[in-house]
Amino acid sequence: MGKKGKRDKKGKGAEKTAAKMEKKVSRRAKKEEEDLEALIAEFQSLDAKKTQVIESSCPPPSPRLNCSLSAHPERDELILFGGEYFNGQKTYLYNELYIYHIRKNSWAKLEIPNPPPRRCAHQAAVVPTAGGQLWIFGGEFASPNGEQFYHYKDLWVLHLATKTWEQIKAPGGPSGRSGHRMVACKRQLIIFGGFHESARDYIYYNDVYAFNLDCFTWSKLAPAGIGPAPRSGCQMTPTPEGNIVIYGGYSKQRIKKDVDKGTLHTDMFLLKAEGAGKEEDRWTWSRLSPSGLKPTPRSGFSVAAAPNNRCLLFGGVHDEEEEESIEGDFFNDIYFYDIGKNRWFPAQLKGPKSEKRKRRRGRQAEAEAAGEEELQLPPPQGPLEIVKEVVAEDGTIMTIKQVIPGAAEGKDRSGSEDEEEEEEEGGSLGQPLEPCPRSNAMVAVKHGVLYVYGGMFEVGDRQVTLSDLHSIDLHRMDEWKVLLEMDPKTQEWLEESESDEEEDDVEGAEGGEEEEESSEEESEDEEGEQQHPAVQPGEAQAQYLGRTEQYWLSLARSHMGPEAKDKKVLKVAHAMAKTFYEDAV
């Protein structure tokens, strides 16, 4: 009893602390949101001028992040809504609605009166009711300079059959947030987690809400047991039994003034419905300990339901913390989670079936020819040329790509094993058409085919927002198909130099480091005429960094002062060296 009482007290103390933090964030965010409400209202007045539904063929959407991509429940269509685009200086928000026609491989823009306000990082869920409904909750609106945020707590439904938007106003719903997760489960929308951010403060959530799709009412769930810590960007998957699986996610906490510590969560939980569909369901949290090979720690991954009672995880990034010019490892791999077996395993492409049969039939006469074909198929020259632009800054993405052809030797063995073992051990992922490594891709599954749209990766301080479209048959797992290549003309990046002076006057949540970094860049510019170590003909970047590291460390230390942390000095030194190397080359 004594231990239980202490645990209860500790839990109540944590709840009080969270409540105080939420009030503090809400108080500071109120002024920001009042400023942004006027801008949102201005955009809505423009949307109010739309009085009729117009669907027109159009080019593919411009690059954007944190939009939603959903499969139409009845038609061979994908529905893309909202999103944001950052060009280095300015943030653009969207509330456009696009339809991708799968059979025609074409896009159409659908203009419908009274749409939701512009937003990103919202959540969308599709249900088959009345010809199909697309439900939208939450998300955020950012000021053009990206320093102020408005977090939505509104709920909308797009009636796909009648092409009409409707805002559902029901009390008792979640607070404004973005980065949360929402799924449709047993005639309910279940929402978990997310975060709310102002210029100086932020809070992460681990609360759970349910919206009843029959009576249009909200209820806040109070599950028994110990649940996940507060987080955003996790995997949330409904099971056929009406339960919910939570995996991973990201959160950060302030350890001292202007210093935040991020956490990549890798734990897994089951939220179980005990009420057997009754109105007053009882829910319970329990921790899952899956077998198999879990995904490596990452954030920014994408998730979707997969055939055979599985869900999948695609891509993501593993960042190094305490850095604004973050160097991250980006991924383009797929992991499956078997819900029934509580088991993770990595996906592997099997290669075209015709080639498999050829190798099986002609093991002696055609073994060498088949082997040559296999060797010719995987060379990743195409994507590696693209990724090498990333490698020049990140350094590890090439490693990810190089791992792919290594699984080719398992192909012959995989033919005699069951389907799951083939997916885990067989096949080569050396197809030259696969998506390049990325995070925050939009994914949807229709008729057992996974569609991957866009995402982003980083090259140094530059963010590359993608707008390509790939697909892969999850039943066959034979090869990726490129449905839309990225148009380089859509890429725009404006250097921050023009806004440095403004940033010096505006201190944001990470303002201290921003000022430090901008002063470093200015100091580097002033040293532009200094005789830095020259790049030798044909010298690779890694060789140059190794040869001149001490020089750049000394230069960075002289700019930053003796009190700067060694790790920070090292990062800045490498950044200066890379910049000089790239300019020289």
Side-chain angles (χ1 to χ4, degrees):
M1 289 294 292
K3 289 185 178 180
K4 185 177 185 299
K6 287 182 179 179
R7 283 200 302 268
D8 290 343
K9 280 187 176 181
K10 191 173 181 181
K12 289 178 181 178
E15 288 177 7
K16 287 183 179 179
T17 302
K20 287 181 181 178
M21 176 58 74
E22 186 165 2
K23 285 183 180 179
K24 182 180 177 184
V25 172
S26 177
R27 201 164 47 242
R28 291 192 174 182
K30 188 175 181 181
K31 178 64 170 66
E32 291 181 21
E33 297 192 342
E34 286 175 355
D35 294 340
L36 291 181
E37 279 175 355
L39 187 56
I40 294 170
E42 184 179 334
F43 283 128
Q44 284 188 286
S45 66
L46 296 175
D47 290 331
K49 297 178 181 178
K50 301 173 183 177
T51 57
Q52 57 183 344
V53 176
I54 301 175
E55 183 171 359
S56 55
S57 299
C58 67
S62 60
R64 61 196 62 199
L65 277 178
N66 299 318
C67 51
S68 56
L69 185 69
S70 310
H72 195 297
E74 295 188 357
R75 299 182 181 179
D76 292 337
E77 297 174 351
L78 305 180
I79 307 163
L80 187 149
F81 173 75
E84 65 176 328
Y85 178 70
F86 178 61
N87 67 359
Q89 289 186 3
K90 189 173 181 181
T91 300
Y92 299 85
L93 275 295
Y94 306 103
N95 64 346
E96 298 167 322
L97 187 67
Y98 287 93
I99 305 296
Y100 175 70
H101 297 283
I102 294 175
R103 293 186 180 182
K104 298 178 182 178
N105 188 23
S106 64
W107 290 90
K109 189 173 183 179
L110 189 55
E111 297 185 43
I112 300 176
N114 303 310
R118 303 178 181 211
R119 69 189 62 206
C120 66
H122 55 279
Q123 281 289 280
V126 172
V127 296
T129 305
Q133 296 175 339
L134 175 72
W135 289 83
I136 302 285
F137 175 79
E140 69 183 41
F141 180 91
S143 60
N145 64 7
E147 293 181 352
Q148 292 179 297
F149 304 95
Y150 181 94
H151 293 267
Y152 295 103
K153 56 179 178 180
D154 51 354
L155 180 66
W156 294 75
V157 58
L158 172 61
H159 300 280
L160 298 172
T162 59
K163 293 184 172 65
T164 55
W165 281 108
E166 180 185 2
Q167 184 176 4
I168 306 299
K169 296 182 179 180
S175 57
R177 64 189 65 195
S178 56
H180 52 288
R181 290 296 177 257
M182 179 175 77
V183 295
C185 181
K186 299 288 187 182
R187 296 299 301 160
Q188 293 185 108
L189 299 177
I190 308 293
I191 291 176
F192 169 78
F195 69 95
H196 186 289
E197 182 177 20
S198 66
R200 293 176 179 272
D201 293 300
Y202 53 82
I203 183 170
Y204 283 79
Y205 300 106
N206 63 347
D207 48 5
V208 187
Y209 284 81
F211 180 77
N212 189 300
L213 291 170
D214 294 318
C215 57
F216 283 20
T217 56
W218 283 106
S219 59
K220 184 176 182 179
L221 306 185
I226 300 176
R231 65 191 65 194
S232 69
C234 62
Q235 171 182 328
M236 186 176 186
T237 304
T239 72
E241 298 78 24
N243 304 322
I244 304 290
V245 174
I246 299 288
Y247 168 75
Y250 174 83
S251 65
K252 62 182 180 180
Q253 63 182 101
R254 186 147 296 165
I255 55 177
K256 58 183 179 179
K257 186 177 181 181
D258 294 333
V259 178
D260 300 321
K261 181 181 179 181
T263 300
L264 288 177
H265 299 279
T266 58
D267 46 5
M268 201 163 187
F269 293 84
L270 178 70
L271 179 60
K272 189 173 183 180
E274 306 283 359
K278 296 178 182 178
E279 188 171 334
E280 293 297 327
D281 284 344
R282 291 182 293 109
W283 297 81
T284 303
W285 283 114
S286 61
R287 185 181 288 268
L288 290 175
S289 298
S291 61
L293 185 61
K294 287 204 305 186
T296 55
R298 63 188 71 188
S299 62
F301 53 77
S302 309
V303 297
N308 303 320
N309 196 26
R310 297 169 179 169
C311 60
L312 66 84
L313 179 152
F314 170 81
V317 60
H318 184 278
D319 288 328
E320 288 191 24
E321 290 294 334
E322 293 187 80
E323 216 33 62
E324 289 180 16
S325 54
I326 295 176
E327 293 186 8
D329 301 341
F330 289 82
F331 304 98
N332 64 348
D333 47 0
I334 296 176
Y335 280 82
F336 286 107
Y337 173 68
D338 189 309
I339 297 173
K341 296 180 180 179
N342 187 27
R343 185 167 185 261
W344 282 103
F345 60 94
Q348 298 287 355
L349 297 199
K350 303 173 186 177
K353 286 188 176 180
S354 58
E355 291 186 13
K356 280 190 167 183
R357 294 194 190 103
K358 186 175 182 181
R359 287 197 298 276
R360 290 169 187 164
R361 285 197 302 265
R363 285 177 183 263
Q364 296 177 346
E366 299 179 348
E368 293 183 6
E372 289 172 5
E373 277 188 29
E374 193 173 337
L375 289 173
Q376 290 172 4
L377 189 64
Q381 296 298 324
L384 274 182
E385 289 180 1
I386 299 171
V387 176
K388 277 181 180 176
E389 297 179 4
V390 186
V391 170
E393 299 294 331
D394 299 339
T396 56
I397 292 180
M398 182 181 292
T399 303
I400 298 168
K401 303 290 279 188
Q402 286 176 332
V403 168
I404 291 164
E409 60 185 306
K411 269 192 172 184
D412 292 334
R413 182 178 66 252
S414 67
S416 61
E417 298 177 355
D418 64 24
E419 177 187 351
E420 185 175 300
E421 289 174 338
E422 283 185 350
E423 289 171 352
E424 292 181 47
E425 301 177 19
S428 167
L429 276 179
Q431 299 290 338
L433 302 179
E434 64 188 353
C436 69
R438 64 191 66 195
S439 69
N440 298 89
M442 280 57 69
V443 299
V445 173
K446 182 69 177 179
H447 297 316
V449 176
L450 169 67
Y451 295 87
V452 176
Y453 172 79
M456 62 82 73
F457 63 84
E458 294 166 348
V459 180
D461 293 331
R462 174 173 179 166
Q463 175 179 301
V464 178
T465 303
L466 301 164
S467 57
D468 51 356
L469 181 63
H470 293 73
S471 70
I472 184 170
D473 190 316
L474 296 174
H475 294 289
R476 298 178 179 177
M477 289 301 294
D478 50 0
E479 61 180 343
W480 283 98
K481 294 181 180 178
V482 180
L483 303 175
L484 173 66
E485 293 183 351
M486 185 186 72
D487 183 359
K489 295 178 182 178
T490 62
Q491 291 298 314
E492 175 189 44
W493 189 258
L494 305 177
E495 296 298 334
E496 296 181 8
S497 57
E498 297 178 12
S499 59
D500 280 346
E501 294 180 5
E502 297 175 7
E503 289 177 359
D504 289 341
D505 297 329
V506 180
E507 187 178 355
E510 300 177 348
E513 290 188 2
E514 285 180 5
E515 292 175 7
E516 188 176 55
E517 183 173 309
S518 62
S519 65
E520 290 156 11
E521 292 173 358
E522 290 168 6
S523 300
E524 186 180 347
D525 290 340
E526 292 170 3
E527 296 288 340
E529 300 300 321
Q530 182 175 335
Q531 293 298 316
H532 301 308
V535 178
Q536 297 176 0
E539 186 174 28
Q541 186 184 89
Q543 294 173 321
Y544 178 78
L545 290 177
R547 181 171 62 85
T548 64
E549 183 177 56
Q550 289 303 316
Y551 168 83
W552 292 106
L553 278 171
S554 175
L555 184 61
R557 175 65 71 184
S558 67
H559 288 326
M560 300 171 66
E563 71 281 355
K565 293 181 179 179
D566 290 343
K567 186 176 180 181
K568 177 71 174 176
V569 174
L570 179 64
K571 292 291 184 182
V572 171
H574 283 181
M576 295 168 69
K578 288 178 182 178
T579 301
F580 179 79
Y581 176 89
E582 289 166 358
D583 290 343
V585 172

